Amino acid sequence: MLLAFDTATPAVTVALHDGERVVASHTVVDARRHGELLAPGITAVLDEAWVPRQDVTAVAVGVGPGPYTGLRVGLVTARTLSLALDVPVYGVCTLDVLAAQAVDEGAVDGPFLVATDARRKEVYWASYDEKGRRLDGPHVSKPADVATDGPVVGAGAVLYPECFPRAVGPEHPDAGALARVVTDERAELVDPEPMYLRRPDVAAPSRPKPVS
């Protein structure tokens, strides 16, 4: 039983995969309530599938890129469950999950970009081939710097249509797709470490200059 969830975007999405298929899923889009929504979402999918928490054999989590607060909620929860249940935890780039969704839904038939909201009028993005294999990225950029007439998956295309006029595929990641990416080994599995792509807003003060 693989428990998968992602909180790197405004979507708080959870799914349970039994090794053959997704047996339960739950998604709420709310950019301000990741901490409130994730635990109830996990409970909801376990209850729907009639699976006790101790039967979970692995955890998968989206590692971003994403804003610090939301991303931290998912990663801390994944590590906590891994320790409590003594099960492995697999990290996956959230942009790779969106790419896999787009391919599975038939939304793309050639190379494409995935772009999500990075706030500050920027996007997180990566490029993919027609099979959803990452070619470049992830990066964080101004939309105008990566503008394209080609297909773009994710919320970035919706937010900046002047730069990405061809929005296709899903806007937010789905944990069911995350689970399938892990079980089918369709993307690189990484440690459950946050992918921020930016330096922290707050830096340690520099050493004061000596008084002459």
Side-chain angles (χ1 to χ4, degrees):
M1 285 290 177
L2 173 66
L3 178 65
F5 47 86
D6 190 299
T7 61
T9 73
V12 179
T13 179
V14 187
L16 190 67
H17 194 289
D18 69 359
E20 297 183 358
R21 61 186 180 90
V22 174
V23 294
S25 63
H26 180 86
T27 298
V28 178
V29 178
D30 190 329
R32 298 178 180 273
R33 299 176 60 216
H34 292 79
E36 298 173 42
L37 294 170
L38 181 56
I42 292 172
T43 299
V45 299
L46 294 175
D47 288 349
E48 181 182 341
W50 293 82
V51 172
R53 187 164 300 194
Q54 59 266 27
D55 283 359
V56 171
T57 56
V59 174
V61 62
V63 300
Y68 175 78
T69 302
L71 188 53
R72 181 182 60 180
V73 169
L75 290 168
V76 169
T77 301
R79 293 173 185 158
T80 301
L81 286 171
S82 174
L83 290 171
L85 301 174
D86 192 24
V87 298
V89 56
Y90 305 106
V92 178
C93 173
T94 299
L95 304 184
D96 292 351
V97 176
L98 279 161
Q101 285 177 244
V103 171
D104 291 348
E105 294 174 7
V108 293
D109 57 7
F112 61 99
L113 293 185
V114 174
T116 60
D117 184 16
R119 303 177 183 174
R120 305 183 196 173
K121 297 182 179 180
E122 293 180 324
V123 292
Y124 298 119
W125 67 275
S127 62
Y128 295 84
D129 67 13
E130 68 280 359
K131 294 184 179 180
R133 294 176 296 207
R134 194 182 340 145
L135 302 174
D136 188 21
H139 305 290
V140 59
S141 304
K142 296 290 185 184
D145 294 340
V146 289
T148 176
D149 291 330
V152 181
V153 175
V158 178
L159 289 169
Y160 303 102
E162 69 280 6
C163 297
F164 309 119
R166 191 178 167 194
V168 300
E171 185 175 342
H172 301 297
D174 177 77
L178 168 59
R180 291 189 293 270
V181 164
V182 172
T183 58
D184 298 343
E185 299 182 358
R186 294 175 58 184
E188 180 185 8
L189 303 183
V190 298
D191 292 333
E193 298 293 335
M195 193 178 289
Y196 292 133
L197 303 188
R198 281 199 187 110
R199 293 187 178 186
D201 290 330
V202 179
S206 59
R207 180 176 297 178
K209 294 180 179 180
V211 177
S212 56

